[in-house]
Amino acid sequence: MALVFADRSERGKLRFTGPQRAWFLHQVLTQTFEDIAPGEARAAAMLTPHGRMTAFLEVVATEDALLAHFEPELRSVLPEALSRYVFATQVEIEDATDDMGLVLVAGQEVEAAARAVDATVHPTPSLGAPAAYLWSARAAVPDVIDVLVARGARRASEDELEAIRIAHGAPRWGRDMDARTLPQEAGIDALAVHYDKGCYLGQEAMAKIHFRGRVNRTLRRLRAERPLEPGAEVTRGGERVGTVTSASDGRALAILRRTVEDGAEVVAGSVEATVTG
């Protein structure tokens, strides 16, 4: 894939500072943070006591802060939800959405391109392909983009980025996972859930699923000869087995019953499709 970029500065952004910033996130999110080192990036979810997701975010460590970004629709709920757990913890949470820019870069030689930019490099799994977010001052975003263009990158549309994400089976908050979703259903548990750390909100539910059971539905990829549509009901043999959550032309992601095997022929809306994994 050729080098591409997109300005995603509209995403929500938080800056965590203070001596207990890593400990704080360690206590309230599904991922481990106490051992995170500058330059490291980790994805995490925030859960209800029953294990349903209330948010998904990506975090990178710098020398003096933890920077987190998330979908714009979470701006109105996530900062407040995190603040409720501060109590006497030595952490400060600052909304950095307006102050900081965020440019997504993906494709061949993404690491070299990212290093050429004066920005904090935040590797991301959000496309399911090599990619990174570049944090900078909001006013410096045009300079970041100029450097990327000089290295041969071209601006990608959101539709193009969605096509890449869907083809690689990478879930996205607000599309393939929301407040009704368990992390295991979206397939992010290997990426964003640490099963060996201590207690956190929703930890008991995660442990029960991981060690004693399984979820009844999972995120899968579909392929068809005709365009697929988000929200379409997926049936097999006339029986409802799931719903399309994201789509790009003849490729889609869908939450399907666990019993639907790879290679199964299904109907999404009125379109015949194949479950590809």
Side-chain angles (χ1 to χ4, degrees):
M1 182 174 70
L3 198 65
V4 297
F5 70 88
D7 184 352
R8 283 189 166 177
S9 297
E10 79 283 357
R11 289 178 67 80
K13 310 178 199 73
L14 293 175
R15 181 188 291 110
F16 299 84
T17 56
Q20 291 185 306
R21 60 186 181 273
W23 181 88
F24 172 73
L25 291 184
H26 189 89
Q27 300 302 309
V28 298
L29 301 180
T30 56
Q31 185 58 273
T32 179
F33 285 99
E34 286 188 317
D35 62 343
I36 194 169
E40 282 191 280
R42 294 177 186 176
M46 192 170 184
L47 307 178
T48 69
H50 300 292
R52 302 289 176 181
M53 298 173 66
T54 58
F56 178 80
L57 60 160
E58 298 180 46
V59 181
V60 67
T62 67
E63 292 290 345
D64 57 2
L66 293 173
L67 303 176
H69 68 82
F70 42 88
E71 294 291 346
E73 55 262 39
L74 289 171
R75 286 189 63 185
S76 62
V77 293
L78 182 55
E80 181 182 354
L82 287 166
S83 296
R84 289 201 296 266
Y85 293 95
V86 171
F87 303 117
T89 310
Q90 293 178 294
V91 61
E92 294 182 5
I93 306 174
E94 176 189 0
D95 189 334
T97 304
D98 295 333
D99 297 335
M100 301 197 73
L102 205 60
V103 176
L104 176 67
V105 58
Q108 298 173 357
E109 300 182 2
V110 64
E111 293 183 7
R115 287 196 300 269
V117 177
D118 184 14
T120 296
V121 180
H122 187 162
T124 177
S126 58
L127 296 182
Y133 278 100
L134 305 177
W135 291 80
S136 69
R138 194 70 174 255
V141 166
D143 296 330
V144 171
I145 290 174
D146 285 347
V147 173
L148 294 176
V149 170
R151 295 189 66 90
R154 64 171 179 82
R155 188 182 297 270
S157 69
E158 285 298 321
D159 286 344
E160 182 179 355
L161 295 174
E162 279 292 273
I164 295 169
R165 178 184 73 82
I166 291 166
H168 287 88
R172 185 172 182 180
W173 180 265
R175 284 77 165 172
D176 316 292
M177 48 185 173
D178 55 26
R180 297 166 295 178
T181 309
L182 297 166
Q184 293 90 341
E185 293 173 335
I188 64 162
D189 51 316
L191 169 73
V193 179
H194 194 283
Y195 288 105
D196 296 328
K197 74 169 193 168
C199 292
Y200 57 90
L201 191 65
Q203 186 267 342
E204 184 176 355
M206 290 297 93
K208 284 182 178 179
I209 294 171
H210 183 64
F211 295 111
R212 303 180 190 175
R214 62 184 184 184
V215 291
N216 295 321
R217 58 180 198 156
T218 57
L219 188 67
R220 314 283 285 285
R221 286 180 287 180
L222 302 181
R223 188 158 191 174
E225 296 299 321
R226 293 164 51 198
L228 296 161
E229 296 292 335
E233 181 178 273
V234 181
T235 61
R236 186 185 185 196
E239 181 182 9
R240 186 182 185 280
V241 294
T243 305
V244 174
T245 54
S246 294
S248 176
D249 292 327
R251 294 178 181 268
L253 299 180
I255 291 285
L256 302 180
R257 291 182 187 174
R258 190 180 189 93
T259 53
V260 179
E261 68 275 10
D262 292 351
E265 299 297 325
V266 298
V267 177
S270 60
V271 180
E272 296 181 353
T274 302
V275 180
T276 60

